[in-house]
Amino acid sequence: MYDFAIIGGGIVGLSTGMALGNRYPNARILVLEKESNWAFHQTGNNSGVIHSGIYYKPGSFKAQFCRDGAKSMVEFCQKNGIEHEICGKVIVATSAAELPRLENLYQRGLENGIPVKKISPEEVKEIEPHVSCVGGIRVFSTGIVNYKQVSQKYAELIKQQGGDLRLNTKVENIRRSGKNQVIETNNGSFETRIVINCAGLHSDRIAKLGQVEPQAKIVPFRGEYYELTPEKRYLVKTLIYPVPNPDFPFLGVHFTRMIDGSVHAGPNAVLSLKREGYHKTDFDLRDFAEVMAYPGFWKLAAKHADEGIKEIIRSFSKAAFVRSLQQLIPEVQANDLVPTHAGVRAQALKNDGSLVDDFLIVQGENSIHVCNAPSPAATSSLEIGKAIVAQIPEQSHLALSVH
């Protein structure tokens, strides 16, 4: 019998387990993960960026949690000896038409309380000598880290707190048993007072198993990356981003120096035909059919048809991908790039075709469901964990305090 059972061993599930252990030292905490390793999916395949929070709507969870999370993530890494670096990044306009959007982004950064500075093309060149642009923003608080290492440390700390961690344990059903809930898995059943769903790419399905309407459907988008060959890494010193299209939910292809010294270029964003589909040929009939039957997807596709077609072309044409990168660094050539891993982003989509553009946490009876936590969830993970703990119903506080 557990007090809390967390479904999903990515960075959000693990940070939640850690936050619960801190808040309720005597609670019995269980974390269930269907894979053989922690942080196997979104967390383990992301770009390793400690985001600043510049892009997000002022007052939103994303803006608040990301800004605070960038600080708490750095403090956590310092305290636990995890390699990281606050290298900053530049966001650059490559044409005069992009300058008003760059200005809007700068103002948003100020509104969100982020250290940002407008810089000239000459000042950009001092930071990133190979970039071509007409203006830029320096974002000082952006950094890099390996989130798999962070997640591993979260798991270790949960274990030290006395938590029960179960890998290779896939949730198959959730049923009520009096006031409690029973989670049925391929490795036996577990009874718990409160279920916390942090299942990422499967969070909407887990919510439905728990008799909760998630208010949106998860649609998987694959982001494909190239990597600069070692002899071309000198082209990128920090992180280089384009000005994002405010009407499109993704940031555009960019250059990211990783904590291991490699430089990744990407990602594009294409519909994945499988929720955990990291290759173009991956296909799952149930996943595909659900998306095709969902009205929200077709409304989104119609709205972003032009951008969507460009993303698909970039997926199948290295030349088109390279042309996008050359807008930032004209020297980059096709033979400077080799394909590397892809990631899949779990993006919640509403029935009306609008993307859920903030973190979405849905309350059920004795359950909490994180139904949208794409980027910047890794950066924000410590803050999301605290926010989930703050939503634990008050009667639980009383019951847990007497252990």
Side-chain angles (χ1 to χ4, degrees), residues 174-191:
I174 302 171
R175 60 181 171 81
R176 298 203 70 81
S177 174
K179 285 186 178 176
N180 299 327
Q181 301 191 62
V182 177
I183 302 171
E184 297 173 354
T185 78
N186 61 330
N187 268 332
S189 296
F190 304 90
E191 190 168 353

Side-chain angles (χ1 to χ4, degrees), residues 97 105 140 195 209 219 269 284 353 368:
L105 201 55
F140 295 95
V195 169
L209 285 181
V219 175
D284 180 274
I368 295 171

Side-chain angles (χ1 to χ4, degrees), residues 22-38:
N22 290 335
R23 176 71 179 81
Y24 305 115
N26 300 318
R28 294 173 296 254
I29 297 166
L30 171 69
V31 184
L32 302 173
E33 168 54 52
K34 70 182 174 65
E35 303 296 350
S36 56
N37 291 300
W38 305 112

Side-chain angles (χ1 to χ4, degrees), residues 340-372:
T340 184
H341 74 92
V344 179
R345 173 192 179 114
Q347 176 62 57
L349 180 62
K350 294 180 190 166
N351 205 42
D352 64 4
S354 63
L355 292 157
V356 178
D357 67 353
D358 204 356
F359 298 135
L360 175 63
I361 301 173
V362 181
Q363 195 100 31
E365 193 184 344
N366 294 337
S367 64
I368 295 171
H369 302 265
V370 182
C371 291
N372 193 55

Side-chain angles (χ1 to χ4, degrees), residues 45-363:
N45 293 292
N46 73 16
S47 58
V49 176
I50 300 173
H51 289 284
S52 64
I54 189 171
Y55 300 107
Y56 312 115
K57 191 175 167 185
S60 66
F61 286 136
K62 278 189 178 181
Q64 178 193 331
F65 292 172
C66 188
R67 184 193 62 227
D68 297 347
K71 289 180 192 155
S72 53
M73 180 59 65
V74 170
E75 286 164 11
F76 182 85
C77 291
Q78 287 168 340
K79 184 179 173 185
N80 291 285
I82 295 169
E83 191 184 357
H84 66 288
E85 185 186 337
I86 303 305
C87 53
K89 78 170 175 183
V90 292
I91 303 170
V92 298
T94 56
S95 69
E98 290 179 344
L99 287 171
R101 296 210 311 249
L102 189 73
E103 176 63 28
N104 291 343
L105 201 55
Y106 171 71
Q107 294 299 335
R108 177 163 278 195
L110 295 178
E111 279 184 76
N112 284 337
I114 290 155
V116 290
K117 181 187 174 189
K118 274 195 274 194
I119 52 176
S120 67
E122 294 73 29
E123 289 171 305
V124 170
K125 284 228 179 267
E126 286 172 22
I127 302 159
E128 292 290 352
H130 302 276
V131 165
S132 171
C133 68
V134 296
I137 301 171
R138 181 91 197 266
V139 186
F140 295 95
S141 53
T142 302
I144 49 177
V145 72
N146 180 332
Y147 282 119
K148 269 191 171 173
Q149 288 177 6
V150 172
S151 302
Q152 200 57 50
K153 179 51 75 173
Y154 288 177
E156 282 172 32
L157 292 170
I158 295 169
K159 208 163 189 176
Q160 285 171 24
Q161 292 165 341
D164 190 355
L165 298 167
R166 306 283 183 113
L167 291 166
N168 301 305
T169 306
K170 184 179 180 182
V171 173
E172 293 171 345
N173 192 29
I174 302 171
R175 60 181 171 81
R176 298 203 70 81
S177 174
K179 285 186 178 176
N180 299 327
Q181 301 191 62
V182 177
I183 302 171
E184 297 173 354
T185 78
N186 61 330
N187 268 332
S189 296
F190 304 90
E191 190 168 353
T192 182
R193 295 175 52 235
I194 294 175
V195 169
I196 301 175
N197 164 18
C198 300
L201 284 154
H202 299 280
S203 55
D204 55 342
R205 291 174 177 170
I206 295 292
K208 285 182 174 172
L209 285 181
Q211 310 302 313
V212 168
E213 178 45 57
Q215 304 174 13
K217 180 174 284 297
I218 293 294
V219 175
F221 287 93
R222 187 174 61 255
E224 296 154 340
Y225 288 87
Y226 285 91
E227 188 177 338
L228 281 179
T229 57
E231 58 274 17
K232 291 291 181 172
R233 288 176 182 170
Y234 70 88
L235 291 172
V236 177
K237 308 281 183 224
T238 60
L239 288 80
I240 306 163
Y241 282 67
V243 181
N245 178 345
D247 301 322
F248 195 58
F250 305 103
L251 295 178
V253 294
H254 48 268
F255 290 94
T256 307
R257 185 161 64 80
M258 311 288 276
I259 200 72
D260 64 3
S262 63
V263 176
H264 284 200
N268 59 354
V270 292
L271 177 70
S272 177
L273 307 183
K274 181 181 178 184
R275 289 204 182 193
E276 293 162 2
Y278 297 100
H279 303 100
K280 291 182 178 73
T281 52
D282 287 347
F283 178 81
D284 180 274
L285 184 58
R286 179 191 176 191
D287 294 351
F288 176 70
E290 271 188 21
V291 172
M292 292 299 108
Y294 189 54
F297 171 72
W298 294 105
K299 290 170 187 166
L300 176 80
K303 185 177 169 190
H304 295 296
D306 290 353
E307 287 289 346
I309 289 163
K310 284 182 205 165
E311 295 287 349
I312 292 165
I313 291 168
R314 270 199 288 259
S315 177
F316 286 95
S317 164
K318 185 177 184 181
F321 206 111
V322 172
R323 279 197 296 275
S324 296
L325 294 170
Q326 285 172 335
Q327 290 179 352
L328 298 171
I329 299 181
E331 286 168 66
V332 169
Q333 300 300 317
N335 55 7
D336 299 335
L337 296 159
V338 290
T340 184
H341 74 92
V344 179
R345 173 192 179 114
Q347 176 62 57
L349 180 62
K350 294 180 190 166
N351 205 42
D352 64 4
S354 63
L355 292 157
V356 178
D357 67 353
D358 204 356
F359 298 135
L360 175 63
I361 301 173
V362 181
Q363 195 100 31

